[in-house]
Protein backbone atom coordinates (compact mmCIF):
# COMPACT_ATOMS: atom_id res chain seq x y z
CA UNK A 1 0.00 0.00 0.00
CA UNK A 2 2.66 2.45 0.98
CA UNK A 3 4.60 1.80 -2.21
CA UNK A 4 1.54 2.45 -4.35
CA UNK A 5 0.78 5.66 -2.55
CA UNK A 6 4.38 6.75 -2.93
CA UNK A 7 4.33 6.07 -6.64
CA UNK A 8 1.06 7.92 -7.03
CA UNK A 9 2.35 10.96 -5.19
CA UNK A 10 5.74 11.32 -6.77
CA UNK A 11 4.78 13.16 -9.96
CA UNK A 12 3.35 15.99 -7.94
CA UNK A 13 6.59 16.68 -6.12
CA UNK A 14 8.22 18.53 -8.98
CA UNK A 15 5.10 20.61 -9.47
CA UNK A 16 5.01 21.42 -5.81
CA UNK A 17 8.62 22.54 -5.89
CA UNK A 18 7.91 24.70 -8.91
CA UNK A 19 4.92 26.22 -7.20
CA UNK A 20 7.02 27.07 -4.21
CA UNK A 21 9.75 28.58 -6.33
CA UNK A 22 7.27 30.47 -8.46
CA UNK A 23 5.76 31.97 -5.35
CA UNK A 24 9.02 33.87 -5.19
CA UNK A 25 9.56 33.53 -1.47
CA UNK A 26 13.24 33.67 -0.68
CA UNK A 27 12.96 30.76 1.66
CA UNK A 28 11.11 28.63 -0.82
CA UNK A 29 13.24 29.50 -3.79
CA UNK A 30 16.47 28.96 -1.96
CA UNK A 31 15.63 25.58 -0.67
CA UNK A 32 14.19 23.47 -3.44
CA UNK A 33 16.02 20.19 -3.35
CA UNK A 34 16.98 20.04 0.28
CA UNK A 35 13.98 21.55 2.00
CA UNK A 36 13.85 24.59 4.20
CA UNK A 37 14.84 24.36 7.79
CA UNK A 38 15.98 20.81 7.55
CA UNK A 39 18.91 18.52 7.14
CA UNK A 40 20.84 18.97 3.92
CA UNK A 41 19.63 16.67 1.19
CA UNK A 42 16.94 15.03 3.28
CA UNK A 43 13.43 15.81 4.35
CA UNK A 44 11.27 14.07 6.89
CA UNK A 45 8.80 13.10 4.19
CA UNK A 46 11.38 11.57 1.88
CA UNK A 47 12.95 9.62 4.70
CA UNK A 48 9.58 8.46 6.01
CA UNK A 49 8.39 7.46 2.54
CA UNK A 50 11.57 5.45 2.00
CA UNK A 51 10.48 3.47 5.06
CA UNK A 52 6.92 3.03 3.72
CA UNK A 53 5.65 5.55 6.26
CA UNK A 54 4.68 9.23 6.33
CA UNK A 55 5.46 12.28 8.41
CA UNK A 56 2.59 14.67 8.90
CA UNK A 57 1.74 17.96 10.50
CA UNK A 58 -1.36 19.85 11.53
CA UNK A 59 -2.07 23.04 9.61
CA UNK A 60 -4.70 25.68 10.21
CA UNK A 61 -6.16 28.13 7.75
CA UNK A 62 -4.18 30.97 9.28
CA UNK A 63 -0.97 28.94 8.98
CA UNK A 64 -1.48 29.09 5.22
CA UNK A 65 -0.78 32.85 5.38
CA UNK A 66 2.74 32.28 6.67
CA UNK A 67 5.28 31.65 3.93
CA UNK A 68 7.66 30.29 6.55
CA UNK A 69 5.18 27.71 7.81
CA UNK A 70 3.97 26.69 4.36
CA UNK A 71 7.50 26.37 3.01
CA UNK A 72 8.40 23.94 5.78
CA UNK A 73 5.06 22.14 5.73
CA UNK A 74 5.10 21.59 1.98
CA UNK A 75 8.66 20.40 1.93
CA UNK A 76 9.19 18.41 5.10
CA UNK A 77 5.78 16.79 5.58
CA UNK A 78 3.61 14.57 3.40
CA UNK A 79 0.42 14.36 5.47
CA UNK A 80 -1.77 17.21 6.69
CA UNK A 81 -4.34 17.22 9.45
CA UNK A 82 -6.50 20.35 9.47
CA UNK A 83 -6.08 21.80 12.97
CA UNK A 84 -9.67 23.05 13.21
CA UNK A 85 -11.15 23.36 9.73
CA UNK A 86 -13.00 20.05 9.48
CA UNK A 87 -14.53 20.19 12.96
CA UNK A 88 -18.29 20.40 13.40
CA UNK A 89 -18.35 24.02 14.59
CA UNK A 90 -16.71 25.07 11.32
CA UNK A 91 -18.32 22.65 8.89
CA UNK A 92 -21.92 22.83 10.13
CA UNK A 93 -22.22 25.87 12.41
CA UNK A 94 -25.99 25.79 12.22
CA UNK A 95 -28.29 22.89 11.35
CA UNK A 96 -27.98 21.94 7.71
CA UNK A 97 -25.69 24.89 6.90
CA UNK A 98 -22.47 23.39 5.66
CA UNK A 99 -19.24 25.33 5.24
CA UNK A 100 -16.35 23.46 3.69
CA UNK A 101 -14.38 26.51 2.56
CA UNK A 102 -11.69 26.45 5.27
CA UNK A 103 -11.24 22.67 5.01
CA UNK A 104 -11.08 22.92 1.23
CA UNK A 105 -8.19 25.37 1.52
CA UNK A 106 -6.22 22.87 3.57
CA UNK A 107 -7.01 20.12 1.07
CA UNK A 108 -5.89 22.37 -1.81
CA UNK A 109 -2.62 23.07 -0.07
CA UNK A 110 -2.13 19.38 0.51
CA UNK A 111 -2.83 18.56 -3.13
CA UNK A 112 -0.49 21.28 -4.37
CA UNK A 113 2.28 19.77 -2.29
CA UNK A 114 1.49 16.10 -2.90
CA UNK A 115 0.50 15.58 0.68
CA UNK A 116 -2.27 13.33 1.94
CA UNK A 117 -4.93 14.45 4.40
CA UNK A 118 -6.09 13.04 7.71
CA UNK A 119 -9.67 14.22 8.07
CA UNK A 120 -10.21 15.51 11.60
CA UNK A 121 -12.81 15.12 13.07
CA UNK A 122 -16.44 14.11 12.53
CA UNK A 123 -17.94 13.38 15.95
CA UNK A 124 -16.43 15.04 19.01
CA UNK A 125 -17.83 16.51 22.19
CA UNK A 126 -15.64 19.60 21.76
CA UNK A 127 -15.84 22.29 19.10
CA UNK A 128 -19.41 21.09 18.74
CA UNK A 129 -21.91 23.86 18.04
CA UNK A 130 -24.55 24.51 20.65
CA UNK A 131 -27.37 23.62 18.33
CA UNK A 132 -26.28 19.99 18.44
CA UNK A 133 -25.93 19.74 22.20
CA UNK A 134 -29.30 21.40 22.69
CA UNK A 135 -31.19 19.12 20.31
CA UNK A 136 -33.80 16.84 21.84
CA UNK A 137 -32.05 13.47 22.26
CA UNK A 138 -34.41 11.87 19.76
CA UNK A 139 -32.96 14.09 17.01
CA UNK A 140 -29.26 13.66 17.70
CA UNK A 141 -28.74 10.45 15.76
CA UNK A 142 -30.26 11.86 12.58
CA UNK A 143 -28.22 15.05 12.96
CA UNK A 144 -25.03 13.06 13.49
CA UNK A 145 -25.64 10.79 10.52
CA UNK A 146 -26.45 13.73 8.27
CA UNK A 147 -23.31 15.55 9.41
CA UNK A 148 -21.09 12.54 8.86
CA UNK A 149 -22.61 11.67 5.50
CA UNK A 150 -22.43 15.22 4.17
CA UNK A 151 -18.87 15.88 5.27
CA UNK A 152 -17.45 12.52 4.25
CA UNK A 153 -19.22 12.75 0.89
CA UNK A 154 -17.82 16.24 0.33
CA UNK A 155 -14.28 15.00 0.87
CA UNK A 156 -14.79 11.58 -0.72
CA UNK A 157 -11.60 10.44 -2.42
CA UNK A 158 -9.65 13.37 -1.02
CA UNK A 159 -8.75 12.16 2.44
CA UNK A 160 -6.59 9.25 3.45
CA UNK A 161 -8.36 8.73 6.74
CA UNK A 162 -11.01 10.14 9.05
CA UNK A 163 -10.88 10.54 12.79
CA UNK A 164 -14.52 9.51 12.87
CA UNK A 165 -14.91 9.72 16.63
CA UNK A 166 -12.53 11.84 18.65
CA UNK A 167 -11.69 11.46 22.33
CA UNK A 168 -14.58 9.19 23.38
CA UNK A 169 -13.14 8.20 26.77
CA UNK A 170 -12.66 9.67 30.23
CA UNK A 171 -9.32 9.10 31.92
CA UNK A 172 -10.65 6.11 33.88
CA UNK A 173 -11.80 4.37 30.72
CA UNK A 174 -15.48 5.11 31.08
CA UNK A 175 -17.26 6.55 28.09
CA UNK A 176 -17.40 10.31 28.11
CA UNK A 177 -20.88 11.71 28.63
CA UNK A 178 -21.86 14.02 25.80
CA UNK A 179 -24.69 14.73 23.40
CA UNK A 180 -23.98 11.50 21.55
CA UNK A 181 -23.85 9.10 24.50
CA UNK A 182 -26.89 10.83 25.98
CA UNK A 183 -28.81 10.11 22.83
CA UNK A 184 -27.44 6.75 21.71
CA UNK A 185 -25.28 5.31 24.47
CA UNK A 186 -22.07 3.66 23.28
CA UNK A 187 -23.82 2.70 20.02
CA UNK A 188 -23.11 6.10 18.51
CA UNK A 189 -19.54 5.01 17.77
CA UNK A 190 -20.49 2.04 15.58
CA UNK A 191 -23.19 4.13 13.94
CA UNK A 192 -20.78 6.93 13.09
CA UNK A 193 -18.26 4.45 11.67
CA UNK A 194 -20.88 2.69 9.55
CA UNK A 195 -22.23 5.99 8.29
CA UNK A 196 -18.76 7.23 7.33
CA UNK A 197 -17.96 3.95 5.59
CA UNK A 198 -21.13 4.16 3.51
CA UNK A 199 -20.15 7.65 2.34
CA UNK A 200 -16.52 6.85 1.45
CA UNK A 201 -15.68 3.15 1.54
CA UNK A 202 -12.03 3.87 0.73
CA UNK A 203 -11.22 6.23 3.59
CA UNK A 204 -9.48 4.67 6.58
CA UNK A 205 -11.72 5.10 9.59
CA UNK A 206 -10.11 5.89 12.95
CA UNK A 207 -10.93 6.41 16.56
CA UNK A 208 -8.55 8.99 18.03
CA UNK A 209 -7.77 9.82 21.65
CA UNK A 210 -5.09 11.11 24.04
CA UNK A 211 -3.54 9.34 27.01
CA UNK A 212 -4.04 5.99 25.31
CA UNK A 213 -0.40 5.78 24.18
CA UNK A 214 0.75 3.56 27.03
CA UNK A 215 -0.88 0.60 28.73
CA UNK A 216 -3.49 1.72 31.24
CA UNK A 217 -7.18 2.05 32.03
CA UNK A 218 -7.93 4.41 29.17
CA UNK A 219 -6.05 2.42 26.52
CA UNK A 220 -7.62 -0.77 27.91
CA UNK A 221 -11.02 0.78 27.28
CA UNK A 222 -10.06 1.70 23.72
CA UNK A 223 -8.69 -1.80 23.21
CA UNK A 224 -11.92 -3.38 24.45
CA UNK A 225 -13.98 -1.08 22.24
CA UNK A 226 -11.96 -1.79 19.09
CA UNK A 227 -11.99 -5.49 19.83
CA UNK A 228 -15.77 -5.47 20.18
CA UNK A 229 -16.25 -3.35 17.04
CA UNK A 230 -14.09 -5.77 15.05
CA UNK A 231 -16.08 -8.72 16.38
CA UNK A 232 -19.30 -7.07 15.26
CA UNK A 233 -17.91 -6.34 11.80
CA UNK A 234 -18.08 -2.58 12.26
CA UNK A 235 -15.78 -0.79 9.77
CA UNK A 236 -12.84 0.38 11.84
CA UNK A 237 -9.39 0.68 10.32
CA UNK A 238 -7.24 2.40 12.86
CA UNK A 239 -6.60 3.93 16.23
CA UNK A 240 -4.95 7.33 16.56
CA UNK A 241 -2.62 7.89 19.49
CA UNK A 242 -2.60 11.66 19.85
CA UNK A 243 0.69 11.67 21.78
CA UNK A 244 0.68 15.04 23.50
CA UNK A 245 3.64 14.20 25.69
CA UNK A 246 5.53 15.93 28.47
CA UNK A 247 9.28 15.82 28.04
CA UNK A 248 10.78 12.73 29.64
CA UNK A 249 7.39 11.12 30.16
CA UNK A 250 6.77 9.15 26.98
CA UNK A 251 5.31 5.83 28.17
CA UNK A 252 7.74 2.95 27.90
CA UNK A 253 4.84 0.67 26.94
CA UNK A 254 4.14 2.64 23.73
CA UNK A 255 5.37 -0.08 21.41
CA UNK A 256 3.72 -2.94 23.30
CA UNK A 257 0.48 -0.99 23.33
CA UNK A 258 0.64 -0.36 19.59
CA UNK A 259 1.30 -4.03 19.01
CA UNK A 260 -1.76 -5.20 20.91
CA UNK A 261 -3.93 -2.93 18.76
CA UNK A 262 -2.38 -4.02 15.47
CA UNK A 263 -2.91 -7.62 16.59
CA UNK A 264 -6.64 -6.84 16.49
CA UNK A 265 -6.29 -6.10 12.79
CA UNK A 266 -6.28 -2.30 12.86
CA UNK A 267 -3.59 0.23 11.98
CA UNK A 268 -2.24 2.64 14.54
CA UNK A 269 -0.87 6.13 13.94
CA UNK A 270 0.77 8.80 16.03
CA UNK A 271 -1.63 11.60 15.17
CA UNK A 272 -0.81 14.76 17.16
CA UNK A 273 2.73 14.43 18.45
CA UNK A 274 4.27 17.15 20.59
CA UNK A 275 6.48 17.06 23.66
CA UNK A 276 6.13 20.04 25.96
CA UNK A 277 8.49 21.43 28.56
CA UNK A 278 8.68 24.46 30.84
CA UNK A 279 9.80 27.56 28.97
CA UNK A 280 12.31 28.96 28.49
CA UNK A 281 13.52 25.57 27.41
CA UNK A 282 16.61 24.18 29.10
CA UNK A 283 19.29 22.47 27.08
CA UNK A 284 18.72 19.29 29.06
CA UNK A 285 15.03 19.28 28.20
CA UNK A 286 15.73 19.94 24.54
CA UNK A 287 18.12 16.98 24.54
CA UNK A 288 15.49 14.85 26.30
CA UNK A 289 12.94 15.97 23.73
CA UNK A 290 15.23 14.67 21.00
CA UNK A 291 15.38 11.34 22.81
CA UNK A 292 11.59 11.32 23.16
CA UNK A 293 10.93 12.10 19.50
CA UNK A 294 13.38 9.45 18.34
CA UNK A 295 11.77 6.96 20.71
CA UNK A 296 8.31 7.65 19.30
CA UNK A 297 9.46 7.41 15.69
CA UNK A 298 11.49 4.28 16.34
CA UNK A 299 8.53 2.70 18.12
CA UNK A 300 6.27 3.38 15.17
CA UNK A 301 8.83 2.08 12.68
CA UNK A 302 9.17 -1.10 14.73
CA UNK A 303 5.45 -1.91 14.55
CA UNK A 304 4.35 -2.99 11.10
CA UNK A 305 0.81 -1.66 11.52
CA UNK A 306 1.96 1.78 12.63
CA UNK A 307 1.41 3.74 9.46
CA UNK A 308 2.98 7.07 10.32
CA UNK A 309 3.62 9.95 12.65
CA UNK A 310 2.07 13.42 12.58
CA UNK A 311 3.18 16.37 14.65
CA UNK A 312 0.54 18.79 15.95
CA UNK A 313 1.71 21.98 14.25
CA UNK A 314 4.85 22.86 12.34
CA UNK A 315 6.84 24.77 14.92
CA UNK A 316 6.81 26.16 18.42
CA UNK A 317 5.21 29.49 17.43
CA UNK A 318 2.15 27.81 15.91
CA UNK A 319 1.77 25.12 18.56
CA UNK A 320 -1.36 25.04 20.73
CA UNK A 321 0.64 24.25 23.87
CA UNK A 322 1.44 27.74 25.27
CA UNK A 323 -2.23 28.72 25.02
CA UNK A 324 -3.42 25.65 26.89
CA UNK A 325 -0.59 24.89 29.34
CA UNK A 326 0.63 28.01 31.03
CA UNK A 327 4.42 28.11 31.36
CA UNK A 328 4.92 25.30 28.85
CA UNK A 329 5.96 25.34 25.22
CA UNK A 330 8.88 24.40 22.95
CA UNK A 331 6.90 21.26 22.13
CA UNK A 332 7.71 20.74 18.44
CA UNK A 333 10.76 20.00 16.29
CA UNK A 334 11.11 23.64 15.15
CA UNK A 335 12.10 26.50 17.43
CA UNK A 336 10.70 30.02 17.71
CA UNK A 337 12.56 31.00 14.54
CA UNK A 338 11.46 27.86 12.72
CA UNK A 339 14.95 26.46 12.91
CA UNK A 340 15.14 22.68 13.39
CA UNK A 341 15.86 21.62 16.94
CA UNK A 342 17.74 18.61 18.24
CA UNK A 343 14.42 16.70 18.05
CA UNK A 344 14.37 17.24 14.29
CA UNK A 345 17.87 15.84 13.93
CA UNK A 346 16.94 12.91 16.14
CA UNK A 347 13.95 12.13 13.93
CA UNK A 348 16.06 12.36 10.77
CA UNK A 349 18.49 9.90 12.31
CA UNK A 350 15.66 7.59 13.45
CA UNK A 351 14.31 7.62 9.90
CA UNK A 352 17.68 6.52 8.58
CA UNK A 353 18.93 9.89 7.38
CA UNK A 354 22.05 11.70 8.36
CA UNK A 355 22.06 15.11 9.93
CA UNK A 356 24.51 17.91 9.46
CA UNK A 357 27.14 16.26 11.55
CA UNK A 358 30.60 17.39 12.40
CA UNK A 359 33.80 15.90 11.08
CA UNK A 360 34.88 12.37 12.01
CA UNK A 361 37.09 13.69 14.76
CA UNK A 362 34.06 15.35 16.26
CA UNK A 363 31.68 12.46 15.89
CA UNK A 364 34.10 10.09 17.56
CA UNK A 365 33.94 12.12 20.73
CA UNK A 366 31.36 11.16 23.32
CA UNK A 367 27.94 12.46 22.46
CA UNK A 368 25.64 14.09 24.94
CA UNK A 369 22.71 13.81 22.59
CA UNK A 370 20.99 10.96 20.81
CA UNK A 371 20.55 13.31 17.90
CA UNK A 372 24.16 13.42 16.85
CA UNK A 373 24.91 11.34 13.85
CA UNK A 374 28.21 9.56 13.42
CA UNK A 375 27.70 9.37 9.69
CA UNK A 376 29.32 11.67 7.25
CA UNK A 377 27.87 15.04 6.40
CA UNK A 378 26.58 15.88 2.96
CA UNK A 379 27.65 19.46 3.35
CA UNK A 380 30.94 20.86 2.11
CA UNK A 381 33.97 19.61 3.95
CA UNK A 382 35.92 22.06 6.01
CA UNK A 383 38.71 22.13 3.47
CA UNK A 384 36.45 22.67 0.47
CA UNK A 385 36.76 26.41 0.18
CA UNK A 386 39.37 27.86 2.51
CA UNK A 387 39.80 30.73 0.12
CA UNK A 388 36.21 31.98 -0.08
CA UNK A 389 36.61 35.64 -0.95
CA UNK A 390 35.64 37.90 1.91
CA UNK A 391 32.95 39.63 -0.13
CA UNK A 392 30.74 41.78 2.00
CA UNK A 393 32.13 40.08 5.03
CA UNK A 394 31.71 42.76 7.60
CA UNK A 395 29.82 41.04 10.34
CA UNK A 396 28.32 40.96 13.77
CA UNK A 397 27.88 37.85 15.90
CA UNK A 398 25.65 37.13 18.85
CA UNK A 399 25.82 33.99 20.93
CA UNK A 400 23.49 32.35 23.38
CA UNK A 401 24.61 29.52 25.62
CA UNK A 402 22.49 27.16 27.71
CA UNK A 403 24.56 24.86 29.87
CA UNK A 404 24.21 22.07 32.37
CA UNK A 405 26.82 20.32 34.50
CA UNK A 406 28.74 18.62 31.69
CA UNK A 407 27.28 20.01 28.49
CA UNK A 408 25.97 23.02 26.68
CA UNK A 409 24.20 24.16 23.58
CA UNK A 410 25.25 27.34 21.88
CA UNK A 411 23.27 29.22 19.26
CA UNK A 412 25.17 31.62 17.06
CA UNK A 413 23.63 34.30 14.87
CA UNK A 414 25.85 35.97 12.34
CA UNK A 415 24.71 39.14 10.62
CA UNK A 416 26.19 40.34 7.38
CA UNK A 417 26.79 44.04 8.07
CA UNK A 418 28.65 44.52 4.78
CA UNK A 419 27.25 46.09 1.66
CA UNK A 420 26.96 42.97 -0.47
CA UNK A 421 25.65 39.44 -0.10
CA UNK A 422 27.84 36.67 1.24
CA UNK A 423 27.61 33.53 -0.86
CA UNK A 424 29.17 30.68 1.03
CA UNK A 425 30.46 31.32 4.50
CA UNK A 426 32.93 30.05 7.04
CA UNK A 427 32.77 31.40 10.53
CA UNK A 428 35.93 30.70 12.50
CA UNK A 429 36.00 31.04 16.27
CA UNK A 430 37.70 29.86 19.42
CA UNK A 431 36.10 27.45 21.88
CA UNK A 432 37.02 27.83 25.55
CA UNK A 433 39.35 25.11 26.86
CA UNK A 434 37.62 21.87 27.81
CA UNK A 435 34.75 22.32 25.37
CA UNK A 436 34.31 19.65 22.72
CA UNK A 437 31.60 19.84 20.05
CA UNK A 438 29.47 16.72 19.71
CA UNK A 439 26.95 17.79 17.08
CA UNK A 440 25.78 20.82 15.18
CA UNK A 441 22.76 22.08 13.27
CA UNK A 442 22.49 24.43 10.29
CA UNK A 443 26.28 24.22 9.81
CA UNK A 444 29.14 21.76 9.96
CA UNK A 445 31.53 22.49 12.81
CA UNK A 446 35.09 21.21 12.69
CA UNK A 447 37.33 20.36 14.47
CA UNK A 448 35.69 19.61 17.82
CA UNK A 449 37.96 21.69 20.03
CA UNK A 450 40.08 24.83 20.07
CA UNK A 451 40.11 26.88 16.88
CA UNK A 452 36.91 25.81 15.14
CA UNK A 453 35.22 26.62 11.82
CA UNK A 454 31.50 26.50 11.13
CA UNK A 455 30.68 26.11 7.43
CA UNK A 456 27.36 26.77 5.76
CA UNK A 457 25.11 24.00 4.47
CA UNK A 458 23.64 24.10 0.98
CA UNK A 459 20.41 25.75 2.06
CA UNK A 460 21.87 28.61 4.07
CA UNK A 461 24.91 29.53 2.01
CA UNK A 462 23.62 32.99 1.14
CA UNK A 463 23.45 35.81 3.65
CA UNK A 464 22.10 38.94 1.98
CA UNK A 465 23.52 42.32 2.89
CA UNK A 466 21.92 43.19 6.21
CA UNK A 467 20.65 39.63 6.63
CA UNK A 468 21.60 37.06 9.19
CA UNK A 469 21.69 33.32 9.67
CA UNK A 470 21.80 31.13 12.74
CA UNK A 471 23.38 27.83 13.54
CA UNK A 472 24.14 25.98 16.71
CA UNK A 473 26.07 23.19 18.32
CA UNK A 474 26.12 21.02 21.35
CA UNK A 475 29.34 20.52 23.28
CA UNK A 476 30.69 18.74 26.31
CA UNK A 477 32.57 20.91 28.78
CA UNK A 478 34.74 20.36 31.82
CA UNK A 479 33.64 23.39 33.82
CA UNK A 480 34.00 26.34 31.47
CA UNK A 481 30.67 26.83 29.70
CA UNK A 482 31.46 30.30 28.34
CA UNK A 483 30.51 31.27 24.82
CA UNK A 484 32.89 30.98 21.89
CA UNK A 485 34.85 34.11 20.97
CA UNK A 486 37.09 35.64 18.31
CA UNK A 487 34.67 35.22 15.40
CA UNK A 488 35.80 35.84 11.83
CA UNK A 489 33.51 35.54 8.82
CA UNK A 490 35.35 34.45 5.68
CA UNK A 491 38.50 35.74 7.30
CA UNK A 492 37.17 39.11 8.45
CA UNK A 493 36.80 39.78 12.18
CA UNK A 494 33.24 40.25 13.39
CA UNK A 495 31.93 42.66 15.99
CA UNK A 496 30.24 41.17 19.02
CA UNK A 497 26.48 41.72 18.97
O1 LIG B 1 -5.07 22.67 17.77
C1 LIG B 1 -6.43 22.86 18.08
C2 LIG B 1 -6.61 24.23 18.70
O2 LIG B 1 -6.32 25.23 17.74
C3 LIG B 1 -8.01 24.38 19.19
O3 LIG B 1 -8.13 25.60 19.89
C4 LIG B 1 -8.34 23.23 20.12
C5 LIG B 1 -9.74 23.35 20.64
O4 LIG B 1 -10.18 22.20 21.22
O5 LIG B 1 -8.18 22.00 19.42
C6 LIG B 1 -6.88 21.80 19.05
O6 LIG B 1 -6.71 20.54 18.49
C7 LIG B 1 -7.01 19.43 19.33
C8 LIG B 1 -7.42 18.30 18.44
O7 LIG B 1 -8.45 18.70 17.60
C9 LIG B 1 -7.83 17.09 19.26
N1 LIG B 1 -6.81 16.71 20.18
C10 LIG B 1 -6.28 17.76 21.01
C11 LIG B 1 -5.84 18.94 20.15
C12 LIG B 1 -5.20 20.00 21.02
O8 LIG B 1 -6.14 20.59 21.86
Amino acid sequence: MAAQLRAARRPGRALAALALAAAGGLLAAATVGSGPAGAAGTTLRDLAEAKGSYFGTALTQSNLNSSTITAIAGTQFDMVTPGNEMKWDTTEPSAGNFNFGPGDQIVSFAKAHSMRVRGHTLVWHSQLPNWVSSLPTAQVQAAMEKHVTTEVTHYKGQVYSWDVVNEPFNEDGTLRTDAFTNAMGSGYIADALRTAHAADPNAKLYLNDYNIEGLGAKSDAMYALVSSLKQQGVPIDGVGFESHFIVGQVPSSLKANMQRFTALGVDVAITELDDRMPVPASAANLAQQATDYAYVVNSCLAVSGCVGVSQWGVGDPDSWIPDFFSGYGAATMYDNNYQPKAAYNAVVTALGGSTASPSPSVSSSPSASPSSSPSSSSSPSSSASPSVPPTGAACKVTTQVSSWNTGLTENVTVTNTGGSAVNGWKLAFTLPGGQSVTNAWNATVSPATGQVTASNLSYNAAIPAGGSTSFGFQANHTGNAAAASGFTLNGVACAAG
Side-chain angles (χ1 to χ4, degrees), residues 309-323:
V309 176
S310 296
Q311 177 173 268
W312 203 245
V314 169
D316 293 344
D318 61 278
S319 164
W320 69 296
I321 293 291
D323 292 338

Side-chain angles (χ1 to χ4, degrees), residues 322-358:
D323 292 338
F324 283 74
F325 298 95
S326 171
Y328 280 78
T332 76
M333 291 180 287
Y334 288 93
D335 71 13
N336 280 331
N337 299 310
Y338 286 98
Q339 297 301 311
K341 294 153 68 173
Y344 173 90
N345 289 336
V347 169
V348 166
T349 303
L351 291 170
S354 63
T355 57
S357 66

Side-chain angles (χ1 to χ4, degrees), residues 84 87 120 124 127 166-167 242 244 272 312 320 324:
N84 291 307
K87 294 172 179 174
H120 175 83
W124 187 26
Q127 290 178 277
N166 202 40
E167 303 176 356
E242 291 189 10
H244 295 294
E272 305 182 11
W312 203 245
W320 69 296
F324 283 74

Side-chain angles (χ1 to χ4, degrees), residues 47-48 51-54 255 258 294-306 308-309 347 349-352:
L47 293 168
K51 299 259 181 198
S53 189
Y54 63 78
K255 191 168 115 187
M258 285 179 177
Y295 178 81
V296 172
V297 171
N298 280 324
S299 299
C300 184
L301 290 175
V303 176
S304 62
C306 183
V309 176
V347 169
T349 303
L351 291 170

Side-chain angles (χ1 to χ4, degrees), residues 16-231:
L18 274 175
L20 269 174
L26 174 66
L27 185 57
T31 52
V32 170
S34 66
T42 60
T43 63
L44 300 177
R45 64 185 284 166
D46 285 343
L47 293 168
E49 287 172 19
K51 299 259 181 198
S53 189
Y54 63 78
F55 218 106
T57 183
L59 276 182
T60 62
Q61 199 180 10
S62 66
N63 293 159
L64 298 181
N65 297 325
S66 160
S67 57
T68 305
I69 294 175
T70 54
I72 295 173
T75 312
Q76 292 287 333
F77 299 98
D78 58 359
M79 184 73 83
V80 178
T81 308
N84 291 307
E85 292 67 14
M86 291 187 184
K87 294 172 179 174
W88 198 319
D89 59 354
T90 297
T91 53
E92 194 185 2
S94 60
N97 252 325
F98 287 92
N99 171 25
F100 295 119
D104 290 352
Q105 284 189 31
I106 306 281
V107 172
S108 300
F109 179 86
K111 282 184 184 161
H113 297 84
S114 303
M115 306 162 93
R116 287 182 288 166
V117 175
R118 296 196 77 258
H120 175 83
T121 174
L122 297 169
V123 181
W124 187 26
H125 73 94
S126 179
Q127 290 178 277
L128 183 68
N130 276 339
W131 72 264
V132 182
S133 13
S134 41
L135 281 176
T137 50
Q139 295 176 26
V140 172
Q141 181 169 5
M144 183 189 83
E145 290 175 357
K146 180 176 178 183
H147 180 78
V148 170
T149 300
T150 309
E151 183 159 358
V152 174
T153 302
H154 178 83
Y155 289 112
K156 185 175 179 179
Q158 303 185 80
V159 300
Y160 162 71
S161 63
W162 275 109
D163 289 333
V164 176
V165 175
N166 202 40
E167 303 176 356
F169 290 110
N170 295 312
E171 293 308 287
D172 65 358
T174 56
L175 213 53
R176 192 190 284 275
T177 302
D178 60 18
F180 307 107
T181 48
N182 282 339
M184 293 168 268
S186 61
Y188 86 92
I189 295 174
D191 191 47
L193 287 161
R194 287 192 170 107
T195 307
H197 183 69
D200 185 355
N202 294 320
K204 301 273 182 197
L205 303 184
Y206 275 67
L207 303 180
N208 188 53
D209 214 329
Y210 60 92
N211 287 353
I212 58 162
E213 297 82 11
L215 297 168
K218 197 171 179 182
S219 66
D220 286 352
M222 181 64 94
Y223 179 82
L225 172 64
V226 172
S227 172
S228 135
L229 292 169
K230 288 295 281 185
Q231 275 165 23

